[in-house]
Each structure stands twice: as structure tokens, then as C-alpha cells.
Amino acid sequence: MPVVQRVCVLGSTGSIGVNTLDVIARHPDRLSVYALSAHSRINELAAQALQHAPRVVIVPDAHARQRFIDIWPAGRTCPEIRVGAQALADTAADTEVTTVMAAIVGAAGLPGALAAARAGKRVLLANKEALVAAGSLFMQAVRTAGAELLPIDSEHNAIFQCLPQTADRVRAPFRPAEGVRRLLLTASGGPFRCTAIEQLEHVTPEQACAHPNWRMGRKISVDSATMLNKGLEVIEAHWLFAMPMDRIQVVVHPQSVVHSMVEYIDGSILAQLGQPDMRTPIAFGLGFPERIESGVGLLELARLGHLDFETPDLIRFPCLRLSLAALRQGQEACITLNAANEIAVDGFLRGQIRYTQIPAIIEYCLDAAAGSRQKALGSLDDVLHLDAHTRRLATDFCRASC
Ligand code: NAD
Ligand code: MG
């Protein structure tokens, strides 16, 4: 009999959260839900809690707590309701929890993911922004606490699957795996890969969120359209696999079937292929080291016919260029890049700024950070402080531009 994992799903009402619960429900013999969290969709959280019977739910404030109580049906045992950001981190570190799915979007997910690492949990990391903002701190916490780190982002999960199968591969590496020359990160190119560049100024949030291959939350969908997502993923791969950035190559692959590749010094390239469905990497993380059913259908290669690969266009996708520059500059620039982007994308989704202003806002904040004094960034508080400072700067810039 497999050991039963008690899973805390941070961000359970999101796209990754819902897919995680779908996989968990397929394996009642080995997976159970200990905690669920939501920031806004409290009705959906209650529906999830009725189906999965967690011991704990976490909501952002007293208002959301009352709403949860009001809609909870009489006669059913109500889960313990914990409130606020600290409760997310405390629950991730709860002794009852074995496994944490870090699926909150944005830097808001960092404290919970870090708390899970510090408590030595199995951490299933979807929240790439945690590594972008605090890669060094996070990987150090994994090492010190002996946590297990499994990448859920499909590209990093693919790379993880293609790396040598060593006994310590869930521990944070200090150096690139033996024999590996490069990591090849695939990117779909998003909905605007072929749009005339002069039309980009007029694209709407709905068009930006209509990803050709993946169904995802709105923030990551816009990031995929600008390819900032791929920039965040280069930074993520740099930390996860201890790989210098000049050995990480982005390859545009419009079909999203090859999820990423590892190139070895003997000329071999290993790839992981599959349907573009996040339940595959989620099931990999939940089942590791065994393979478990995910509900994902077969990939009919003959029906696909061909797979295409291209070099990314840094003129069309300035956010990718800015991300690579930020990684070259260091942690302060990476925190700035991420925070400025979160504000810019939010402004675009609310209709306050145009799509083409997203890179302008990021560049403005990066320039401002480059001109400021280098700050110490050794603690979570330091990171959150710079994150908050950049958000204020980006918000002011957004207001001034609309
Ligand atoms: P989403 O927008 O669908 O869901 C986000 C979740 O986070 C929701 O449950 C929401 O309630 C919660 N949340 C939002 N703001 C919060 C806050 N301030 N505090 C606490 N909780 C908050 O996002 P998603 O698409 O599921 O993405 C989640 C993370 O996974 C992101 O970091 C994303 O980059 C990463 N990821 C997603 C996919 C995908 O296919 N969706 C793929 C790879 C990586
Ligand atoms: Mg990805």
C-alpha cells in the first residue's frame, strides 16, 4: 500500500488548484486533501470543501470567513476556517501536512511556498514567481530543511523527467547535472506569435488570454502572450537546476507537445512529450517516484503530423529580452521585473493600459532600480519590501499613463 499523502493546496480555486484536485480525487488510496485556500471565489472554495472534505480552509479576511459560514450547508461538518496570509504559511508548515501544492499566482505565493520548504515538506512548485523573486533563499531553504522539490511548471517538469535519475534529484542541486550541455525550454509563442506587430497596440485582454494550447489563469495567460512567462521560466530553470543562463535556450514550438528538452554533451537530446494538460506534471509530482493515472488522454503523434521549432523574436517579445537582462543583473532586478509585471498585467486586464505598455512599465521600473543603491536581499522581509516598493512605482507609472 502506498503511503497516504495529506495535501495542502494553496490556491485551490485556480487553474492549477482545480487540476490538482482532479488528480487527487482519482487516488483516494494514496492522496487526501488536508487544506484548501482561496482568495476570492469563496462559493467555489465551499463547493470544493464539500467534495474533498479538508480539515482546514484558508480565506483572506473576516468577510470571506463569514461568507464561507453563511453558504456552508447545515448538518455537514464545517472545516476549520483559518484567516489571512500568515495562516497560509502556517498551514503549509502544519505537522499534519506532508505535501504542499504551491499554486497561488504571483509573489503572493512566496511566503507559503517558502514556509513549506522550511518545514521540509514535499513541495510541488507551480508558483514560479516564488523562485523569480527569491530563488537563492528558496533553494537554500529546500537544502537546509531536506524538503523534496518537484517542479510542476510543464517545462521544468519535462526537464526534471529528462535529467539523470539520481537518488537525490528532489533535493536542490548546487551544480548542473553531470553530462548536461544545455536545457532547451520550449515556448508556444502564445496567441500573438504571428500577429502584425503594429496591431499589438490594440489587442484586448480577451485576445491575450485566448492561449492557443493551454487553459490557464488570466495572469499567466497574458504572460504567455508577452512571453514574459518564458523569461520567468528561464529564471526558474536557472535556480531549479543550478544552470547558468547561457546554457538555457528558449525554443519556440507552437504545438506545445514537446514540453522541454535536455541536451547532453554526447549530442543526445532527451525530450518529454504529451498533451498540453497540467494534470500530467501534477500527477508526476503527486505520485513521484511512481507513475500514477492523471486522466490525460493519449497523444496521437501520427495525427499531429509534424512538430515545428523556431528562434524567439526579441523585437516582437520585448518582455523576454527584459527578463533575460534582469537575470543577468541579479536578484534585485528579478524582483523588480516580477513585481512591475504583476502591476502592468493587472492594469492591462482592467483596461487601464494597453498591451504594449506592459514592457514599458517593466523597463521603467528596471531602470529606476538600476539607478538606486543595491539593497541587501537576504531575508523574506527584504524581498517583500522591494516587491512592495516596485508595485508602488509601477502603479504610479500606470496611473500617469492612462
Ligand atoms: P489562477 O489565477 O487560475 O489561480 C490563482 C489562485 O491563487 C486562486 O486560487 C486564487 O484564489 C489564489 N490567489 C490569488 N491571489 C492571491 C493572494 N493575493 N493571496 C492568496 N491567494 C491568492 O492561476 P493559475 O493559472 O492556477 O496559476 C497559479 C500559479 O501556477 C502561477 O504562479 C502560474 O504561473 C503557475 N503555473 C500555472 C500554469 C497553468 O496551466 N495554469 C502552468 C504553469 C505554472
Ligand atoms: Mg510553463
Side-chain angles (χ1 to χ4, degrees):
M1 276 290 282
V3 180
V4 175
Q5 295 182 62
R6 290 180 300 281
V7 187
C8 166
V9 186
L10 299 180
S12 65
T13 52
S15 155
I16 293 286
V18 167
N19 280 312
T20 303
L21 292 177
D22 181 282
V23 175
I24 289 176
R26 294 168 192 274
H27 301 280
D29 55 325
R30 61 192 304 154
L31 299 168
S32 72
V33 177
Y34 179 78
L36 297 174
S37 92
H39 196 61
S40 53
R41 294 195 289 258
I42 303 304
N43 288 4
E44 211 169 314
L45 178 69
Q48 290 181 336
L50 281 168
Q51 188 189 344
H52 297 276
R55 290 256 292 277
V56 173
V57 293
I58 309 147
V59 295
D61 50 34
H63 179 76
R65 179 176 193 279
Q66 192 54 50
R67 167 114 196 94
F68 190 93
I69 292 168
D70 291 346
I71 54 183
W72 190 259
R76 294 286 301 267
T77 311
C78 189
E80 180 189 337
I81 308 171
R82 298 183 186 167
V83 178
Q86 187 58 45
L88 289 170
D90 292 346
T91 307
D94 199 315
T95 48
E96 294 285 314
V97 169
T98 61
T99 306
V100 174
M101 168 56 82
I104 289 173
V105 62
L110 169 60
L114 189 60
R118 285 181 172 156
K121 307 296 184 192
R122 167 173 291 201
V123 186
L124 309 183
L125 190 67
N127 176 230
K128 64 192 87 188
E129 295 92 342
L131 275 181
V132 172
S136 164
L137 203 63
F138 187 85
M139 296 308 276
Q140 191 55 48
V142 171
R143 277 183 207 117
T144 309
E148 287 185 338
L149 180 57
L150 286 145
I152 298 303
D153 210 350
S154 58
E155 296 77 3
H156 307 75
N157 187 270
I159 288 169
F160 185 89
Q161 295 196 41
C162 296
L163 283 173
Q165 310 290 297
T166 55
D168 62 348
R169 65 200 174 112
V170 285
R171 313 289 168 203
F174 284 102
R175 61 185 71 85
E178 287 295 313
V180 170
R181 181 149 55 200
R182 289 188 307 173
L183 306 179
L184 308 179
L185 270 186
T186 52
S188 69
F192 304 137
R193 187 175 59 90
C194 301
T195 306
I197 292 191
E198 48 296 353
Q199 278 177 23
L200 292 177
E201 205 178 350
H202 307 294
V203 298
T204 64
E206 278 54 48
Q207 288 171 313
C209 288
H211 195 281
N213 307 326
W214 299 92
R215 293 287 150 266
M216 307 181 286
R218 283 166 75 77
K219 189 259 179 188
I220 185 177
S221 295
V222 176
D223 287 352
S224 299
T226 61
M227 275 189 86
L228 185 115
N229 183 52
K230 211 48 54 179
L232 299 182
E233 290 184 357
V234 170
I235 303 171
E236 184 184 11
H238 164 73
W239 287 111
L240 280 174
F241 307 115
M243 187 60 83
M245 69 173 283
D246 59 351
R247 288 167 62 189
I248 305 171
Q249 192 185 31
V250 175
V251 185
V252 174
H253 164 51
Q255 291 92 353
S256 299
V257 164
V258 176
H259 296 310
S260 276
M261 297 167 266
V262 176
E263 184 183 74
Y264 286 86
I265 51 177
D266 62 2
S268 301
I269 294 179
L270 300 194
Q272 185 255 351
L273 284 70
Q275 299 271 17
D277 187 322
M278 289 306 293
R279 289 176 301 173
T280 296
I282 291 168
F284 181 89
L286 287 168
F288 186 85
E290 289 162 35
R291 297 276 180 169
I292 61 173
E293 277 284 343
S294 64
V296 177
L298 287 177
L299 179 65
E300 295 281 1
L301 284 173
R303 208 178 279 172
L304 280 170
H306 59 97
L307 297 173
D308 300 311
F309 300 95
E310 302 165 7
T311 305
D313 175 352
L314 295 184
I315 308 272
R316 173 181 294 278
F317 297 113
C319 286
L320 178 57
R321 174 179 55 77
L322 291 169
S323 311
L324 300 178
L327 177 56
R328 222 171 280 121
Q329 275 174 48
Q331 191 189 0
E332 187 170 354
C334 290
I335 296 169
T336 305
L337 171 92
N338 181 63
N341 178 60
E342 286 193 34
I343 296 298
V345 170
D346 189 57
F348 170 65
L349 286 172
R350 288 168 189 271
Q352 290 167 345
I353 61 160
R354 288 193 302 275
Y355 173 84
T356 42
Q357 286 177 294
I358 297 172
I361 290 168
I362 298 171
E363 194 151 25
Y364 169 77
C365 291
L366 282 173
D367 286 349
S372 72
R373 202 163 45 87
Q374 192 75 21
K375 298 165 193 79
L377 293 164
S379 71
L380 177 60
D381 279 349
D382 294 338
V383 172
L384 296 180
H385 189 264
L386 177 56
D387 175 87
H389 166 76
T390 309
R391 280 165 200 269
R392 283 192 295 274
L393 199 65
T395 304
D396 289 347
F397 188 92
C398 268
R399 279 207 197 103
S401 355
C402 56

